[in-house]
Amino acid sequence: EKGDEVTFDGYVVAESNTADREKFADNNESKKADDEKDSRVFYPYQETGSLAFHTRDRFFATTPEPLPEGLCGGPVLDKNGRVCGIVEGIVPKNHSNPEIAGSAAFMPNYIMTPFIDFAERFMLQRILPKGLFQKAVTAKTTNTLGGGIFQKDKQGRYQP
């Protein structure tokens, strides 16, 4: 709903202070080649936004400032703290449509759920033996453990 509050949650990426690298590096670290080191630092980041615009498969939310790089793939939370989407990107401030310029673009969870289900099935089908794969499908589609992969023993405990 237009105007609803959402929260963007994740980490921003910052480069480490290269001026102090030699001073604070331990002996083992200084022996590594520079191109092998990942000197990035990740800081927690959270920003509240307001839904402004949507298409069938994308939502756009305005924030006080455009979101920083590094939040793509992070969760978008509704006012109850539940995941309602995944950050896809940031619309440039100079975008031709002023209604979405500078907004955060995210994919709502109803778009992501079928994709995740497909990816899960695709991977399991390739790594599990056929019989075990069918049991996994049954457990997933019936939402029951007793009729799927696991069976109860005489004490009522689930056994593989």
Side-chain angles (χ1 to χ4, degrees):
E1 192 79 30
K2 189 172 184 172
D4 282 356
E5 184 179 289
V6 292
T7 302
F8 299 92
D9 204 5
Y11 294 87
V12 291
V13 181
E15 301 301 321
S16 64
N17 180 353
T18 57
D20 293 333
R21 179 174 41 194
E22 295 300 319
K23 182 177 179 180
F24 294 108
D26 64 23
N27 289 336
N28 290 336
E29 186 177 333
S30 61
K31 292 177 186 176
K32 293 180 184 176
D34 280 342
D35 60 348
E36 291 180 23
K37 294 179 187 176
D38 185 354
S39 61
R40 296 175 301 166
V41 178
F42 296 86
Y43 295 98
Y45 180 88
Q46 192 173 67
E47 183 66 75
T48 302
S50 177
L51 291 179
F53 184 80
H54 72 86
T55 64
R56 184 185 66 73
D57 60 353
R58 297 291 179 278
F59 282 58
F60 299 89
T62 57
T63 53
E65 290 292 320
L67 296 179
E69 290 185 28
L71 291 183
C72 292
V76 181
L77 310 172
D78 66 15
K79 63 184 176 185
N80 298 313
R82 295 181 302 222
V83 174
C84 63
I86 296 175
V87 178
E88 182 179 17
I90 299 110
V91 180
K93 280 183 156 182
N94 62 354
H95 192 274
S96 61
N97 181 347
E99 194 170 3
I100 63 171
S103 295
F106 66 96
M107 290 181 277
N109 59 359
Y110 65 80
I111 295 294
M112 296 308 300
T113 301
F115 171 77
I116 292 168
D117 287 346
F118 173 80
E120 178 185 48
R121 184 181 180 104
F122 182 81
M123 288 187 309
L124 289 176
Q125 193 169 20
R126 277 150 184 75
I127 62 174
L128 295 177
K130 188 174 183 175
L132 186 56
F133 171 72
Q134 283 308 125
K135 288 182 179 182
V137 169
T138 301
K140 178 91 174 168
T141 56
T142 63
N143 204 23
T144 60
L145 292 176
I149 297 173
F150 300 98
Q151 300 294 325
K152 287 185 181 180
D153 64 13
K154 292 179 182 178
Q155 288 79 30
R157 295 176 299 216
Y158 286 105
Q159 300 295 322

